[in-house]
Amino acid sequence: MATTDLTALLERFAQAVAARDTAGFASLFTPDGRYHDGFFGVHDGRGAIAAMLDRFYVGGEAFFWQFFDPVASGDIGYARYVFSYRSRQPESAGQVIVFDGIAQLHLRSGLIAEYDEAFDRGIAFTQLGYETARIGKLLDRYSREFAASPRARAHLAARPLSPPAAGDF
């Protein structure tokens, strides 16, 4: 995919989220597409991806996603983003939550086969007004999930130094 095609795809992505166009959003993905959301986890298939977008609107509204510096090479694309929305969470209702991140997309036939993102969840949780203990508990869970992931385990196994034992995190 060319960078110009990725730019157009990301514009449709952002527009569908802002419009709560769940069907349009899901149609940007392959039928077996996967969306790994930094808050809500992995969603496989268009139906689950559409349902995830509906879930966004339980805790927020007025979503605005801007993508910057998209780069595509073959079947992979990356872009920086800034994302904001108005919270519906009890601790922060009405407040605008904003954070930045990086999107990684695996592409197939002009559609998203897999979407993944990296952002600082702690920044979002703090703006949401979550208590420090709750933030710690959430970040601990995400940390343990990542440390147990195939990607982290493969990385640790490939380290030139002895990998840590499973409980060393």
Side-chain angles (χ1 to χ4, degrees):
M1 174 177 275
T3 298
T4 55
D5 296 329
L6 177 60
T7 299
L9 180 65
L10 292 172
E11 287 173 2
R12 291 194 314 273
F13 183 109
Q15 290 167 357
V17 171
R20 195 178 182 176
D21 179 3
T22 56
F25 184 69
S27 75
L28 300 174
F29 290 79
T30 61
D32 63 340
R34 170 175 278 196
Y35 188 114
H36 182 213
D37 182 79
F39 290 127
F40 301 128
V42 175
H43 297 79
D44 290 315
R46 287 179 173 160
I49 291 167
M52 180 203 63
L53 182 56
D54 275 334
R55 190 171 170 203
F56 278 23
Y57 279 84
V58 171
E61 60 191 6
F63 291 91
F64 182 53
W65 215 319
Q66 288 182 300
F67 290 96
F68 302 95
D69 305 324
V71 177
S73 178
D75 64 351
I76 194 161
Y78 291 92
R80 293 182 313 107
Y81 67 78
V82 177
F83 179 69
S84 64
Y85 64 97
R86 191 170 34 252
S87 176
R88 289 183 167 169
Q89 297 290 313
E91 301 91 340
S92 55
Q95 293 182 31
V96 174
I97 309 304
V98 60
F99 55 90
D100 63 351
I102 298 172
Q104 176 189 31
L105 302 91
H106 290 273
L107 307 159
R108 187 178 337 125
S109 302
L111 297 173
I112 304 166
E114 187 169 346
Y115 174 91
D116 201 351
E117 59 189 1
F119 65 91
D120 186 336
R121 292 176 181 109
I123 289 173
F125 292 150
T126 300
Q127 291 177 62
L128 284 165
Y130 291 178
E131 302 255 345
T132 303
R134 182 177 180 190
I135 294 171
K137 186 175 179 181
L138 287 164
L139 293 178
D140 182 59
R141 184 182 93 209
Y142 291 130
S143 176
R144 282 184 281 109
E145 287 172 359
F146 177 72
S149 74
R151 184 170 46 177
R153 299 309 301 168
H155 171 81
L156 293 173
R159 283 176 51 89
L161 304 175
S162 299
D168 285 352
F169 293 98

